[in-house]
Amino acid sequence: ATTPSYDLETEVIRKSDASSLSKQELRDATKQFLGHIQQKPPIFSAIKQKGKRLYEHARTGEQVNIQSREVIVHEFQITEINLPEVTFRIRCGKGTYIRSIANDFGEVLGVGGFLKSLCRTTIGNHTLDDSMSIDTFERNLKASS
């Protein structure tokens, strides 16, 4: 399926049957997204154009021409296939929109795609293991004041 925002923030606009896709087709499609690739950010993003964020243009129905830009994808690994859902792990450079990859991956496969959920596990030198819950953060903040 596809959505204008490439995730569940907007309604599904097109559905397709993905049941005939093979595991090999899915894995082969990931290869197109490795290395330096051109990526068009989603219209529902915070990138500014004409002095406004793209999502502001999108919400008013304004048409804008979004320029592709180069990003780098070091790894694109499918971790689970339960059609129509495909779970994957990506290791990428800054500025990469995973929502765009989900959309473009579905487009390459001819069935559409959008991001159902996202978990960022690493940013810079920080990992998910370094994180803390909001409750713990609030307790630490109160304890330090």
Side-chain angles (χ1 to χ4, degrees), residues 37-89:
I37 63 170
Q38 290 295 311
Q39 181 183 72
K40 191 177 279 194
I43 184 68
F44 285 86
S45 66
I47 294 171
K48 284 192 174 181
Q49 188 168 333
K50 299 179 186 175
K52 288 171 39 179
R53 304 227 180 253
L54 285 178
Y55 63 77
E56 293 174 316
H57 292 286
R59 288 180 182 148
T60 61
E62 249 181 279
Q63 295 295 316
V64 290
N65 184 24
I66 303 170
Q67 297 296 314
S68 293
R69 58 193 191 165
E70 186 175 281
V71 296
I72 187 165
V73 177
H74 303 287
E75 181 180 5
F76 186 158
Q77 179 185 9
I78 294 176
T79 57
E80 186 178 344
I81 299 170
N82 188 16
L83 293 175
E85 293 184 17
V86 177
T87 305
F88 55 87
R89 185 171 70 89

Side-chain angles (χ1 to χ4, degrees), residues 1-2 6 14 33 100-113:
T2 60
Y6 305 165
R14 182 177 61 93
F33 298 92
S100 290
I101 289 179
N103 178 77
D104 297 346
F105 183 63
E107 190 174 301
V108 163
L109 293 165
V111 295

Side-chain angles (χ1 to χ4, degrees), residues 1 15-23 25-26 81-86 109-112:
K15 286 187 176 185
S16 299
D17 181 12
S19 63
S20 66
L21 292 172
S22 71
K23 290 180 181 181
E25 284 175 296
L26 293 165
I81 299 170
N82 188 16
L83 293 175
E85 293 184 17
V86 177
L109 293 165
V111 295

